Amino acid sequence: MYSLRPRAVLDDSFASLTLKRRLESGVISLDEAPPGVIAGRVALAEDETIEDALAAAAEATKIWRSAPLSTRLDAWTGLIRRVLLDRRDELIHMLTLEGHPVELARWELSGMLELTRAETVEFLRGQMWQEFTVDGRRNIVRRQADGVVCVSPPANAPLVSALLGAVSIAGGNAVVVRAPRAAPFAVSHVLRTMIAPTLEELGAPPGTLNIVCGSPGRMLDTWIASPHVNDIMYFGDTPTGLKIERRCVEMGKKPILELAGNDVVLIWKDADLDAAAAALTESFYGSGQLCMVPNQALVHPEVADELISRLAARAEALRPGYPEEDGVLLSPVLRHDRFDEFLAEAVEAGATVVTGGQGMQIDGTPDASGFFLQPTVLRIDGLGGARDLKAVREETFFPLLPVVVPEPADDEILLDAFIGFVNSNRYGLRNSLWAGDEAVIGRYVAEIAGGGLLKVNDSHIAFTAPLPSHGGTGLTGGAFGEANYPALRATHLQGISIVTGESGSAD
């Protein structure tokens, strides 16, 4: 499988995709390809190789799960942190080869580094092993490895998702990662040349980390049927993820789902409007093709006009460009049909397009057939029917941010409505609040039930240790959804009681 350089696709998509097809079908060899088009190539795994990876992982976890926690967690995360820092530029380059703007790649790297900070490691250690002396017994509550964890990352963010899934190794598991056929190169290169050597340095057994490239359906079928597999960590759309969840449960396997997000940001009347507008602008990072960006805003009517004005100005300042260029935050959106559908439905129902609403070329010229979409701010007046609109009810995986403005009312009534609106969201990845009133903040923190992460007066997408970067409730994480620490999610609680000397009794 051949991965194309994003610049080549943006300059001439037809020629680049034709070259990819000819290479993969064997019509021409790599030596015949023009320079600057191919980023790299990865072998497509045969069925035997996929089975071998699972068998190798099953053997490895028998050994690795008994390695000291200080080795699996402290030492290994320390080595990963060193690699991330030492090879920072290479990692960012790999992310741009996946089409991520360099500014976005730097943000993604910051998230990886937060996973390895001392505060995160300390929290995980406390969750994974606690000891108590009770009536002469040495009582231990620990988390034991589930075993073999298979990771299926999404095509839109394969590398960072694969790295997150690989953190399951710290729990004593062995991991099999599927490198997506659409974008396998960065995943395979980074895991093979950066992460695998850290495991070798610690003496982890062969098979602790495996990387195979293949089609998702076929590989998932193999994983679900295999007696070697314990957990499946799936990143992707909600309908597919929930089907996988049911199949996993039927086969006695643990589903760990990272699905869609539809995050809500609340802006109260005493919020810092400049900071809130900056946080809402994060909705357009990567052209909205990230699960954890803001997907909708709910604004106090007293400050709605001012907030929307500031947000629109920031949205209009964003520009498209090649991924490796500084300052670029927008990514190509290959399909515009859902954007057009959601926008048209909202406008027909009375919503107002404040800014944006069109396709554009890489130079910013409006063009319905362009690779990019203008960052679009949509004003929706009235809370009552807002949830009926697809732009509010469903995940918008494109640069469209609906801003809902309720009718004026008493603040107590408005706050009840705001909290009820967030809790009625079927998704639950991240939710945010911007407010100065401590009573408002207190109610928000106490009463918002959905979400793997709540943010208050902070960047919606910022990472901060030891809080989780992923995970959520509802249609985001399925029936078992919660904040996702892979080292914990891919393990299970186990109690141990040890008596030394005089035997214990049930008395």
Side-chain angles (χ1 to χ4, degrees), residues 144-147 149 168 171 173 231 233 254 256 485-492:
Q144 178 62 280
D146 287 342
V149 180
S168 305
N173 302 286
D231 300 351
M233 186 179 295
K254 180 190 291 184
I256 303 172
Y485 296 91
L488 303 181
R489 292 295 305 280
T491 58
H492 53 273

Side-chain angles (χ1 to χ4, degrees), residues 267-279 307 310 434-436 457:
I267 296 95
W268 199 243
K269 65 180 183 181
D270 59 352
D272 180 334
L273 296 185
D274 274 335
L307 185 281
R310 299 186 192 197
W434 287 87
N457 296 328

Side-chain angles (χ1 to χ4, degrees), residues 57-77:
E59 288 301 310
T61 194
K62 294 175 183 177
I63 302 169
W64 182 243
R65 71 183 352 146
S66 62
L69 187 59
S70 59
T71 300
R72 291 188 279 110
L73 179 63
D74 301 74
W76 187 53
T77 53

Side-chain angles (χ1 to χ4, degrees), residues 333 336 359-362 367-373:
V333 181
H336 296 187
M360 60 179 170
Q361 297 285 359
I362 195 169
D367 185 346
S369 62
F371 273 116
F372 294 85
L373 286 168

Side-chain angles (χ1 to χ4, degrees), residues 382-395:
L383 191 60
R387 189 77 80 194
D388 296 331
L389 300 176
K390 293 177 182 177
V392 177
R393 186 176 69 248
E394 307 296 341
E395 179 188 44

